[in-house]
Amino acid sequence: MTATSTSNENPMNKSYKLAPNSAIARVCLAFLATAGIFYVNIMPALVNGLKEGLMFTNQQAGFVSSANLYGAAIGSFAAVLMIKKINWRRWSYGLLMSLLVIDLLCVYIESASVMIAVRGLHGITGGLLVGIGFCIMSRTTESDKTFGYLLFIQWGLGGLGIMFLPAMVPVYGTGILFISLIAFTLVTLLMLPFLPSYPVSKESSSAAKSKVLTLPLMLTLAAIFLFQAANMGLFAYVIGLGKAEGLSLDFMSPALAMASWIALLGSFLVIIIGTKFGRSLPILLSVMLTAICTWLLHYSEVESIYLITNVVIGITWAFALSYLFGLCSEFDKAGQMAALGGFASKMGLASGPMVAAMLLGDDHYGLVINISAMALVACALIAMQPAITIDKRISRGQNS
């Protein structure tokens, strides 16, 4: 383990910190930025578990997830305003402990209205933690890679959740979903002491005072919103879609878990290639491929199509999102714009299931698929201007 000791501490109480840009530090940061929102990566299991275990309707289960995510959006936005004024480590400890308490309470809740309210509170708490995590991640070198590690962790462990949790709900009840979240939070608490301080460098502080490119930033945030809304709107109901097409849970759970695990290739590719090919071409190709595979879900009654399209969507989701977050990080290195990207992401993740819940009605999955595909095409087109702008700016900097 690569580590450095803090310079001004008592040798008798010497604490060891990870090297700021090491792979292990990036993994720990990924856990920190995931702990508050890990439920997103097991969303199909969570929505299906609420329906099967607590007899919630499609709309009630969708509103629970949306309340959680709208709360997370509020928390992420608060992080943008607070990050320069707080001790991020102390706040992270407090927020992680709060998440433990809230998830424990959810184990015993059976009312849909109470669950919606409590998960909204969880969202605000977790969103603030995720916003802090995003701010700190943007202070690493090659932040695209750090976001690649983030999605690597999310998809890998999310696959485990989707693989096993749906079958465990009938045996252990809906509480098992929240116990899995508690376990993830506990692991993150154990990692937190080893992270270095990640102070804002003088160079980053000077850059933060310069004028932010408003139009490219707004377009980037819009692209992130559309990308997350389109994907999560469908992903939250992907088990219900399969059931409506006659697929069995015994097939879907391992199929979706496999999709999550193979999706690790997307984030792994980002870690390997970084920005060697810029950002505009990778974003365009990956988002358009996501749109095509989303439309192919019209043919989900064919098991191979259901499996392959979910695998490809998983890969491109992790791949494209890393670059979209990386775009935000290029607008400032203090971390505020990265946290703003996190806010746009949470708003998209919340809006997708909510809109899908309203459109779904009596299992109108075809309509949800069409709207998701169109939103993804719009995302690809919107993202091109900021991606090309950043690519040109970096190219000029390298050639100067």
Side-chain angles (χ1 to χ4, degrees):
M1 181 184 296
T2 305
T4 59
S5 61
T6 53
S7 58
N8 57 351
E9 292 178 343
N10 187 325
M12 298 299 292
N13 293 313
K14 189 180 293 184
S15 64
Y16 291 90
K17 306 295 183 183
L18 296 166
N21 298 301
S22 66
I24 299 177
R26 294 181 200 268
V27 169
C28 292
L29 286 173
F31 269 80
L32 180 66
T34 299
I37 201 169
F38 184 59
Y39 53 85
V40 170
N41 298 92
I42 59 170
M43 188 66 80
L46 181 61
V47 170
N48 191 65
L50 292 174
K51 289 161 57 179
E52 298 289 335
L54 296 178
M55 302 304 163
F56 287 8
T57 65
N58 269 333
Q59 285 73 21
Q60 287 173 328
F63 289 153
V64 168
S65 62
S66 290
N68 218 149
L69 285 162
Y70 276 124
I74 294 170
S76 293
F77 187 74
V80 177
L81 305 176
M82 296 169 57
I83 190 61
K84 291 184 177 180
K85 304 174 183 178
I86 63 174
N87 182 312
W88 69 265
R89 191 187 305 278
R90 291 177 183 172
W91 273 77
S92 296
Y93 276 118
L95 293 168
L96 286 167
M97 294 300 296
S98 299
L99 290 176
L100 290 175
V101 173
I102 297 171
D103 280 325
L104 186 59
L105 288 175
C106 289
V107 173
Y108 303 100
I109 295 174
E110 297 182 356
S111 164
S113 58
V114 175
M115 184 69 80
I116 290 170
V118 173
R119 295 313 293 177
L121 176 61
H122 181 283
I124 294 172
T125 308
L128 182 52
L129 179 67
V130 174
I132 290 171
F134 272 45
C135 289
I136 305 307
M137 290 173 71
S138 71
R139 298 177 188 177
T140 60
T141 59
E142 296 184 280
S143 58
D144 300 78
K145 289 188 177 182
T146 310
F147 287 114
Y149 277 94
L150 170 70
L151 295 169
F152 192 89
I153 295 296
Q154 290 181 345
W155 283 106
L157 296 181
L160 285 175
I162 294 172
M163 178 75 173
F164 296 109
L165 289 175
M168 295 173 73
V169 169
V171 179
Y172 300 103
T174 310
I176 192 67
L177 300 168
F178 302 109
I179 291 172
S180 68
L181 300 179
I182 290 171
F184 192 97
T185 302
L186 287 172
V187 172
T188 306
L189 270 171
L190 294 175
M191 292 180 171
L192 187 55
F194 298 100
L195 284 171
S197 59
Y198 290 103
V200 180
S201 66
K202 293 180 180 179
E203 183 179 304
S204 297
S205 297
S206 300
K209 294 178 182 177
S210 61
K211 186 178 179 181
V212 175
L213 301 174
T214 305
L215 178 60
L217 174 61
M218 292 298 105
L219 291 175
T220 301
L221 297 177
I224 291 173
F225 173 85
L226 286 173
F227 187 74
Q228 294 290 68
N231 281 315
M232 186 52 68
L234 202 51
F235 184 63
Y237 294 99
V238 72
I239 291 178
L241 168 64
K243 285 183 176 179
E245 296 294 343
L247 303 180
S248 69
L249 190 60
D250 288 339
F251 165 75
M252 288 186 289
S253 287
L256 293 172
M258 186 184 303
S260 290
W261 292 328
I262 298 177
L264 298 176
L265 289 173
S267 51
F268 185 70
L269 281 173
V270 177
I271 294 169
I272 295 299
I273 67 176
T275 54
K276 292 177 183 177
F277 305 103
R279 291 188 176 92
S280 52
L281 185 60
I283 289 173
L284 178 63
L285 293 178
S286 58
V287 177
M288 289 303 296
L289 184 55
T290 310
I292 292 169
C293 288
T294 295
W295 184 83
L296 286 173
L297 285 171
H298 277 297
Y299 304 97
S300 292
E301 71 275 8
V302 181
E303 290 186 348
S304 58
I305 292 179
Y306 182 88
L307 173 61
I308 293 170
T309 52
N310 276 294
V311 166
V312 177
I313 289 171
I315 293 172
T316 54
W317 192 346
F319 184 84
L321 192 57
S322 297
Y323 285 107
L324 289 170
F325 282 144
L327 277 181
C328 283
S329 294
E330 287 299 322
F331 291 109
D332 86 311
K333 280 295 181 181
Q336 286 181 297
M337 297 305 105
L340 204 55
F343 167 72
S345 173
K346 306 307 176 296
M347 287 295 292
L349 291 173
S351 300
M354 186 185 72
V355 172
M358 292 188 291
L359 294 174
L360 199 54
D362 297 323
D363 295 341
H364 296 146
Y365 289 101
L367 179 60
V368 177
I369 290 171
N370 288 336
I371 291 177
S372 296
M374 288 188 289
L376 286 165
V377 172
C379 166
L381 297 176
I382 290 171
M384 283 303 94
Q385 196 273 349
I388 292 171
T389 299
I390 293 296
D391 284 348
K392 287 181 177 178
R393 188 169 76 177
I394 292 175
S395 179
R396 287 196 298 267
Q398 292 173 343
N399 294 330
S400 61

